[in-house]
Amino acid sequence: MVLPVPAWLQGRGGQPEGYCHRQMLDAIRYQVAGGISWRAMPADFPGWGRVHASFCRRREHGLINEFHDRLRGKVRERERPEAEPTAGITDVQSVRAAATVPTSSRGYDGGKKVPGRKRHIVTDTLGLLLIAAVTAANIGDRDAAVGLRTRLHRLHRLHRDITLVWADGGYTGGLVGWCRDKLALTLEIVKRTDDMTGFVVFPRRWVAERTFAWLMNSRRLARDYETLPASSAVVVQWSMVTRMSRRLARPESAGSPAQAPSRATLRTRVARSSPAPARVPAPRRPEALSAHQSHCLIR
């Protein structure tokens, strides 16, 4: 059971809801996946005002965090023997901001030359989201990491088994010592050496980069359209909710419940299980007629 049961269904009083939770969730997921504005919500869903109010209520009361964490736990139980993660990867992404984003929460990233905001995420070794934060683009990784101390403390409180986090060179500084002294957490920096040229896959850091690629499948995250940075972080969680729900909907194979069979494997199984087609005998060539048979045919 992932969705909470309404109070009126449990006999605890309250007015019955006009729309079920599933309709609201589908409407929000549609808006995040399609990148449409709230007022462009199709008529098949509830009114855009009700959907936006549900989005804000789940953000303010932390309901989306609980829903997201439940889905992540189910994915980990299916694909890993341990439900709780023991290590994490953190990284940052700079995205352009729309014109509706206020200047107080946007900036300019001089390194990547991107005007907008930065998304800071912490994932597990499967690439599933653990922590998400959004800041202005002009805030450096070290300053943003200091702002992430509260979230890292929440991460340590919720996931006691995490003892190691990989990060890039931008997170060096006082955060490493703070994690070691306050959280008993090892923050390992994966740096790029001077002898590296071209595209290089860094150990463990590619997992967070793949998560950013997953997020780009949601058109709402192609740019930052949200007025509040908190809403932008919640949209990241909604995108991962869609990803994890599709991941759970995949059929489990008989041999390995962690991975679904590929198309090539399914074709091979179908070819082996289907009976061989019956062989049709080739038509026989007509034999040569004798002189008497030819004389009879002519008559």
Side-chain angles (χ1 to χ4, degrees), residues 50-81:
R50 292 179 177 267
V51 177
H52 184 263
S54 177
F55 174 84
C56 296
R57 182 171 62 253
R58 297 175 187 275
R59 178 199 65 199
E60 294 171 358
H61 296 281
L63 300 178
I64 178 59
N65 297 331
E66 182 180 357
F67 180 49
H68 174 272
D69 294 346
R70 287 183 181 181
L71 278 178
R72 186 187 63 236
K74 289 186 175 295
V75 173
R76 289 195 58 88
E77 289 176 1
R78 180 177 177 178
E79 302 189 6
R80 283 289 187 272

Side-chain angles (χ1 to χ4, degrees), residues 3-4 16 28 35 44 55 59 77 79 107 136 143 175 184 214 233 255 287:
L3 293 178
I28 296 175
D44 299 335
F55 174 84
R59 178 199 65 199
E77 289 176 1
E79 302 189 6
D143 298 334
L175 184 63
W214 290 346
E287 300 178 356

Side-chain angles (χ1 to χ4, degrees), residues 36-42 48-49:
I36 62 175
S37 61
W38 290 106
R39 294 180 180 269
M41 190 68 62
W48 73 270

